[in-house]
Amino acid sequence: MKAAVFPGQGAQFVGMGKELYEQSALAKSYFEEANEILGFRITDVMFEGDAEALKQTEVTQPAIFIHSVIEALLNGDSFNPSMVAGHSLGEFSALVAAGVLTFKDGLKLVAQRAQAMQEACGLQRGTMAAVLGLEDAVVEKVCDSIDGVVVAANYNCPGQLVISGTYEAVEIACEKMKEAGAKRALILPVGGAFHSPLMAPAKEALASAIEATTFSSPKCPIYQNVSATAVSDSELIKDQLIAQLTAPVKWTQSVQKMIEGGATSFTEYGPGKVLQGLIKKIDRSAEVASASE
């Protein structure tokens, strides 16, 4: 069985999507529609902008979504996976690819999500850190022992977990992770504490936008970050999409459940190859590929 997966924030690079734009009239029409929906030429930043401008959450999230979804939509009727999943932001791309959201509605929600997250970042200084070489349970225990907001945020693959919270608490956690035997505990160059309680204000803002948007039944099951299980009910998809902002991304668990559900090959749609690398670390026998190759 084939699975389609979609990356999240961090996969962006200057020049992303330019080849698609230049080589396909259909892709060009989607890119131009995106510029119109957003009210600015995001393609200029994606194709010719500088890396710093592309790193801004309000640009990064729509850019990755646009690139990922267009790659899937270009396949037309031949895009027919048995299941889909996306990492954090990538869940929105997966929902469009699975027919739950239209391209327009998906992009509007992503833009609103990015803006809400950017605003939440400004309310309290937060950050994230990558912890390598510790079991999940050890990382969780260290986070629980700290007096401050710091939680497990991204279960990326065995031995690689990202924590999130206030800057001070994450700093303390990094030192304690090293003491507990972590190979590395590095603060990441991100603008805030994503997938932590610090995103609660963004969650409230996004909830009303999601509730006002039409969600159709998916053409295939989507394995959502919050539960790491196959979901087909549109109302449950909405609830978990809202919960995702303050809940951890259970990527390891999602991939494991997809494999249990029959997935043997995973194709990544969008910029970069981050998910392919993580999937191989989760299960070496899984076949991985990039849609752009």
Side-chain angles (χ1 to χ4, degrees):
M1 291 174 111
K2 293 181 179 179
V5 293
F6 300 83
Q9 201 161 332
Q12 72 277 358
F13 61 89
V14 175
M16 59 186 285
K18 188 176 182 182
E19 200 173 310
L20 284 172
Y21 183 94
E22 292 174 344
Q23 294 181 358
S24 166
L26 179 59
K28 184 175 181 179
S29 70
Y30 277 120
F31 277 114
E32 290 301 340
E33 182 184 352
N35 286 334
E36 195 174 315
I37 292 167
L38 294 172
F40 71 99
R41 292 194 63 79
I42 193 169
T43 49
D44 291 349
V45 186
M46 292 170 68
F47 303 164
E48 312 290 350
D50 64 82
E52 207 53 45
L54 196 55
K55 272 184 192 173
Q56 301 305 309
T57 298
E58 290 171 314
V59 175
T60 306
Q61 293 195 17
I64 292 170
F65 168 87
I66 292 162
H67 187 167
S68 301
V69 171
I70 289 174
E71 272 200 347
L73 295 178
L74 285 182
N75 283 272
D77 292 338
S78 65
F79 179 80
N80 192 27
S82 300
M83 58 191 80
V84 297
H87 190 289
S88 188
L89 158 73
E91 199 160 273
F92 287 82
S93 309
L95 289 172
V96 175
V100 177
L101 291 168
T102 64
F103 177 72
K104 182 177 182 179
D105 284 345
L107 181 54
K108 281 184 174 180
L109 285 179
V110 166
Q112 288 169 302
R113 178 184 190 262
Q115 185 178 359
M117 289 172 78
Q118 191 87 46
E119 288 172 1
C121 290
L123 297 175
Q124 193 169 2
R125 191 184 182 209
T127 192
M128 303 176 83
V131 180
L132 307 179
L134 282 183
E135 290 184 9
D136 294 349
V138 176
V139 175
E140 292 162 355
K141 189 175 180 181
V142 170
C143 287
D144 290 343
S145 73
I146 292 168
D147 184 21
V149 178
V150 57
V151 296
N154 295 350
Y155 293 82
N156 285 334
C157 67
Q160 187 189 127
L161 206 160
V162 174
I163 59 174
S164 181
T166 62
Y167 200 94
E168 296 78 11
V170 172
E171 271 191 323
I172 294 167
C174 283
E175 291 309 309
K176 285 187 175 286
M177 296 294 177
K178 290 171 189 172
E179 290 169 12
K183 290 178 183 175
R184 299 180 86 179
L186 301 168
I187 289 182
L188 299 171
V190 294
F194 305 136
H195 300 288
S196 84
L198 271 64
M199 286 294 113
K203 184 176 172 180
E204 291 174 24
L206 185 64
S208 57
I210 285 176
E211 292 299 343
T213 303
T214 300
F215 278 54
S216 302
S217 296
K219 293 184 283 189
C220 64
I222 173 166
Y223 284 72
Q224 288 191 274
N225 294 173
V226 169
S227 63
T229 55
V231 183
S232 295
D233 178 77
S234 56
E235 287 304 312
L236 182 55
I237 289 171
K238 277 188 178 184
D239 291 344
Q240 295 198 154
L241 205 57
I242 295 165
Q244 191 220 64
L245 273 182
T246 54
V249 174
K250 296 179 179 176
W251 187 250
T252 300
Q253 299 90 324
S254 295
V255 172
Q256 289 169 340
K257 285 291 183 184
M258 292 170 89
I259 291 168
E260 284 178 24
T264 54
S265 67
F266 295 80
T267 302
E268 184 170 4
Y269 291 81
K273 297 182 178 181
V274 173
L275 298 185
Q276 294 166 67
L278 295 180
I279 290 166
K280 290 299 280 186
K281 288 175 181 174
I282 295 166
D283 191 320
R284 290 181 188 175
S285 67
E287 292 179 22
V288 297
S290 173
S292 60
E293 292 176 351

